[in-house]
Amino acid sequence: MKYKSQKVAYWFFALSMLLLILQITYGFVMGFARIGMDGLHEFIPFNTARAVHTNLLVVWLLSGFMGAAYYIIPEEAQRELVNVKLAYVQLISLALVGVTAIVGYHFNWWEGRKFLEIPRQLDYLVVINVLLFLGLILTTLIKGKRKTTTALVLSMGLLFAALLYLPGMLPFDSQVTDSFFRWWVVHLWVEGVWELIMGGILSFLLIKLTGVDREVIEKWLYVIVGLTFLSGVLGTGHHYYYIGVNKIWLVVGGIFSALEPLAFLAMALFAVNMYRKGEKKHPNTLALFWTLGSAIVSFIGAGLLGFAHTLPQTNLYTHGTLVTAMHGHYAFWGAYAMIVLAIISYSLPNLTGRKLYESARGRAAFWLSNIGMLGMTVAFGVAGVVQVYLERKLKMEFMEVQNEISIHFVVLLLCATLFATGIIMYIVDFIKHGRPSDEALEVIEH
């Protein structure tokens, strides 16, 4: 069943693709700076490039999540979006706030807190924007003909993500207290409520692509939600080891961090089992590749690589090193980037009417981006282990160590080029689909 108001999703996806290209560009600026090619330092110093790179990651993923919600919720609720014009207002205001923040970073207009650098004035605009988005999504769901578990889990994830943004806006004089609540936003987003968003999108895609009964698939969602909250909330403790809080967090963080891979393992098993049970051979194999890939890679990146360095005994050495970058890149790629690319791959043919399922370019985009990201992860991992040994065991100076490991960034840049080639091919495919059309989105009454 298709609805004309789903067209708004296309423009959120287009914004997310534009922001993704920008994010990759700033990643290259940092990579070249790490091997001594820092010609842009006067205009884009490393700290600015890093802030833009990490913030663009958050904004392009949120744009993708919002697009996914605008596509999924009307279909799940079986009604048009309550107000399409307001959805476009929300899209334009989100883009304007994002551009203002990024330009501001280049002029040192920021708060200086990792991932939450956005200035306080813009924080309030973000809150208004997200409230408008939630109002549209939740009203559509409430007024809809049905309320599915998939739609409820997706909406719950988006609602909690909005609520958990607020602790990051609280003003504190103490660095310890500020760090304590900052992780409520950063950790409880990426290792908490964003997992619910991922679970909701994953469930929707598996229902559509495998043909397995909705009840069977949605039962798994309860398991994922339970495991996410069991491990994710108290797993925040692994960020509290060295910020000046009570020692009990070493125990709590260690135990619950060990449980965190379970939620991602459940998602991987869930996706693979549903695929094997599925009797329907959906023609959109690219969407299926991205969907299954997301579930499997997220378990490796977020689950296993996260567990590898969150135990207190290990984190004592790896904290603040490139080992964190290894985990961060593969976790974000598998858990969130790939699921956004999956919902885009599924929805584009339906929105535009151009069914480019078997595109060789699309398959090449999948494999090149995945091989490139795996290579980047290995390069970060090897550089991180060497850094840990030289810095933490041999007690060498930080900058001296950076010179020693610079060769690994040459490998990283080569793999990043492979990754970027895959993403460019994906975006070319996106453009080739063309714009959404009313003919492709005729409402089918049942």
Side-chain angles (χ1 to χ4, degrees), residues 348-409:
L348 269 186
N350 301 331
L351 290 167
T352 64
R354 296 172 188 87
K355 305 194 184 305
L356 308 178
Y357 296 143
E358 286 301 317
S359 153
R361 185 174 44 242
R363 284 196 298 276
F366 176 83
W367 288 111
L368 285 175
S369 58
N370 271 286
I371 293 166
M373 180 54 76
L374 180 60
M376 288 166 64
T377 303
V378 172
F380 272 127
V382 174
V385 170
V386 174
Q387 183 187 9
V388 167
Y389 187 75
L390 296 181
E391 264 184 45
R392 308 288 157 91
K393 296 296 285 183
L394 299 187
K395 310 297 181 187
M396 285 172 65
E397 290 293 327
F398 176 82
M399 289 309 295
E400 199 181 333
V401 172
Q402 298 311 302
N403 288 331
E404 292 291 333
I405 61 175
S406 62
I407 185 62
H408 298 295
F409 284 89

Side-chain angles (χ1 to χ4, degrees), residues 230-290:
L230 168 71
S231 61
V233 175
L234 290 174
T236 313
H238 66 240
H239 297 290
Y240 292 164
Y241 294 160
Y242 316 113
I243 67 167
V245 296
N246 196 292
K247 283 182 182 177
I248 189 67
W249 287 108
L250 288 167
V251 178
V252 173
I255 292 170
F256 286 91
S257 293
L259 296 175
E260 279 191 54
L262 293 178
F264 287 103
L265 176 62
M267 282 202 215
L269 292 174
F270 163 51
V272 173
N273 280 341
M274 293 309 109
Y275 168 66
R276 291 174 68 184
K277 277 188 179 190
E279 296 172 4
K280 176 169 144 187
K281 291 222 169 189
H282 197 283
N284 195 339
T285 50
L286 281 178
L288 191 62
F289 271 33
W290 285 109

Side-chain angles (χ1 to χ4, degrees), residues 21-70:
I21 282 291
L22 271 175
Q23 191 218 353
I24 291 169
T25 304
Y26 277 86
F28 273 106
V29 171
M30 286 193 291
F32 280 113
R34 294 299 291 260
I35 61 170
M37 298 171 68
D38 201 8
L40 290 173
H41 182 83
E42 211 172 307
F43 312 102
I44 312 174
F46 189 87
N47 63 321
T48 302
R50 186 184 185 280
V52 173
H53 183 69
T54 53
N55 279 250
L56 279 173
L57 168 69
V58 174
V59 180
W60 90 255
L61 288 175
L62 283 176
S63 301
F65 291 159
M66 288 171 174
Y70 281 129

Side-chain angles (χ1 to χ4, degrees), residues 163-176:
L163 292 174
L164 285 167
Y165 187 74
L166 301 177
M169 294 175 65
L170 298 172
F172 297 107
D173 294 327
S174 162
Q175 176 71 49
V176 174

Side-chain angles (χ1 to χ4, degrees), residues 209-228:
L209 294 169
T210 66
V212 174
D213 189 60
R214 177 180 287 275
E215 283 184 18
V216 176
I217 286 178
E218 291 187 336
K219 275 178 187 171
W220 273 87
L221 265 186
Y222 292 114
V223 176
I224 290 165
V225 171
L227 287 171
T228 297

